[in-house]
Amino acid sequence: YLGKFAGLEGSYRRQFQTIPNAAGIDTTGNRWEAQGFIDFKMVRTFVGYASQQENGTGALDQESWKGGVRFFF
């Protein structure tokens, strides 16, 4: 929490080099996410960003924004 009603969340995942499977597929990469939020009693509004990169046989590069409302009972 940054204050009484607002905060930040984040995560990071690293995928180390794999041993190729029977199909010859091997990958390495990372993924990270960051999210900010504001709480109003039982309701949390949030906005976040995520990025994922994979290198190797199945190369992948994705970025996304997300936002919404969560209810806590």
Side-chain angles (χ1 to χ4, degrees):
Y1 282 89
L2 297 174
K4 191 171 183 181
F5 301 107
L8 297 172
E9 294 179 342
S11 66
Y12 177 79
R13 183 183 71 200
R14 173 77 177 145
Q15 181 179 343
F16 295 103
Q17 181 104 23
T18 60
I19 298 172
N21 63 12
I25 297 173
D26 65 336
T27 60
T28 182
N30 58 51
R31 175 180 175 85
W32 64 272
E33 296 183 37
Q35 187 176 97
F37 62 87
I38 299 174
D39 290 337
F40 300 100
K41 295 188 180 185
M42 295 176 25
V43 178
R44 174 176 285 182
T45 59
F46 66 93
V47 64
Y49 176 79
S51 176
Q52 178 175 348
Q53 295 91 26
E54 289 184 5
N55 304 315
T57 308
L60 173 70
D61 190 11
Q62 292 181 333
E63 296 179 8
S64 63
W65 286 92
K66 62 182 177 179
V69 177
R70 292 185 182 134
F71 297 95
F72 295 94
F73 295 96

